[in-house]
Amino acid sequence: MNTYLFVYDLMQFCGHSWIFTNMIIRFMSFGKDSLADTFYSIGLVMRLCQLLSILEILHILIGIDKSRLFPRFLQITERIIVLFVVINSQEEVQGKYVVCVLFFLWNLLDMVRYTYNMLARMGIYYLPLTWLNFSLCILLYPLSVLAKAFAICVSLPYFESFGTYSIKLPFPFAFSIYFPYVLKMYLLVLFMGMCFIIQNLFSERKAHLGTGNIKKKRS
């Protein structure tokens, strides 16, 4: 199982590193013009990486990963909803700069996290990397939530115009689901979840970067 988890972390690291490197090279080569077609150039690999991350929920459920289930579930579902439901379904949103910002934050966080996980599978705890893994997420996760919320707000006019995912059942049911209202309610859930996840991130940081734990890992 440890070998399997290492291979999984390695695959995710390679995927997110490729995306991050691709974004940097494209920006250095084409400047701001590269931001508008970020989704078209790396969207497929990004979707594959996020779909693969669903396995992390299974890992926790079957007990091979000791992470807490609910915080990880929230983080994964947030990305799945924003990427597949909001961005992927509206072509007009895919060219917005917020998509580039969101992908940059996601991949920066995941490169650090999967690097830390790979070394941890081998019993290697490099203190600067450990500090970065449990500190960077506290800073960047709220920014990613703001980017997700902005992406949802940008998408609302298109969901209203095109009626995507809105459902109206015929008589005698007389029941309808107006999807923009669903997204607006999800914004509240998104920020409530952020408060819970940040609290969990601080707890993890304290658990891994406490004085006693640092001395133990050094020894």
Side-chain angles (χ1 to χ4, degrees), residues 152-202:
I152 291 174
C153 291
V154 167
S155 72
L156 286 175
Y158 302 108
F159 280 105
E160 292 172 354
S161 300
F162 302 135
T164 311
Y165 301 132
S166 294
I167 301 172
K168 187 175 183 179
L169 298 179
F171 184 82
F173 299 102
F175 177 76
S176 62
I177 298 176
Y178 188 54
F179 196 69
Y181 289 162
V182 176
L183 287 179
K184 290 176 182 178
M185 288 188 291
Y186 181 68
L187 284 173
L188 178 61
V189 175
L190 191 64
F191 284 104
M192 290 175 62
M194 180 186 71
C195 297
F196 174 78
I197 291 174
I198 289 177
Q199 183 180 11
N200 181 71
L201 292 174
F202 273 108

Side-chain angles (χ1 to χ4, degrees), residues 73-183:
F73 174 80
L74 283 178
Q75 289 176 299
I76 291 173
T77 52
E78 284 174 7
R79 293 190 182 189
I80 294 294
I81 290 172
V82 172
L83 179 58
F84 287 92
V85 178
V86 176
I87 299 174
N88 190 62
S89 66
Q90 300 297 337
E91 188 174 352
E92 291 78 6
V93 178
Q94 295 168 11
K96 303 294 185 182
Y97 288 169
V98 66
V99 175
C100 182
V101 173
L102 198 54
F103 284 8
F104 180 86
L105 293 173
W106 285 355
N107 287 283
L108 180 58
L109 284 169
D110 284 340
M111 280 197 311
V112 174
R113 184 166 70 90
Y114 288 115
T115 301
Y116 171 82
N117 287 347
M118 282 191 296
L119 293 177
R121 308 293 180 200
M122 298 184 292
I124 300 173
Y125 296 94
Y126 186 49
L127 185 57
L129 179 61
T130 302
W131 184 90
L132 187 64
N133 181 61
F134 291 102
S135 301
L136 187 65
C137 55
I138 295 175
L139 174 64
L140 296 187
Y141 177 73
L143 295 179
S144 72
V145 171
L146 291 176
K148 292 171 195 172
F150 187 75
I152 291 174
C153 291
V154 167
S155 72
L156 286 175
Y158 302 108
F159 280 105
E160 292 172 354
S161 300
F162 302 135
T164 311
Y165 301 132
S166 294
I167 301 172
K168 187 175 183 179
L169 298 179
F171 184 82
F173 299 102
F175 177 76
S176 62
I177 298 176
Y178 188 54
F179 196 69
Y181 289 162
V182 176
L183 287 179

Side-chain angles (χ1 to χ4, degrees), residues 3 13 21 37 39 53 57-59 62 77 130 132 138 149-150 204 206-207 209 211 213 215 217:
T3 302
F13 172 78
T21 304
D37 63 347
F39 185 84
S53 70
I57 298 175
L58 179 62
H59 296 164
I62 63 178
T77 52
T130 302
L132 187 64
I138 295 175
F150 187 75
E204 287 185 345
K206 183 178 180 180
L209 294 177
T211 305
N213 287 317
K215 290 180 179 179
K217 290 176 181 178

Side-chain angles (χ1 to χ4, degrees), residues 11-41:
M11 290 174 60
Q12 288 282 39
F13 172 78
C14 290
H16 289 290
S17 297
W18 181 88
I19 296 171
F20 189 81
T21 304
N22 188 288
M23 291 178 65
I24 297 298
I25 293 175
R26 284 173 54 80
F27 182 76
M28 292 177 64
S29 301
F30 305 108
K32 290 184 178 181
D33 293 337
S34 67
L35 302 181
D37 63 347
T38 295
F39 185 84
Y40 303 102
S41 61

Side-chain angles (χ1 to χ4, degrees), residues 15-16 18-19 41-50:
H16 289 290
W18 181 88
I19 296 171
S41 61
I42 62 175
L44 176 60
V45 181
M46 192 71 201
R47 280 172 284 181
L48 290 174
C49 287
Q50 296 309 316

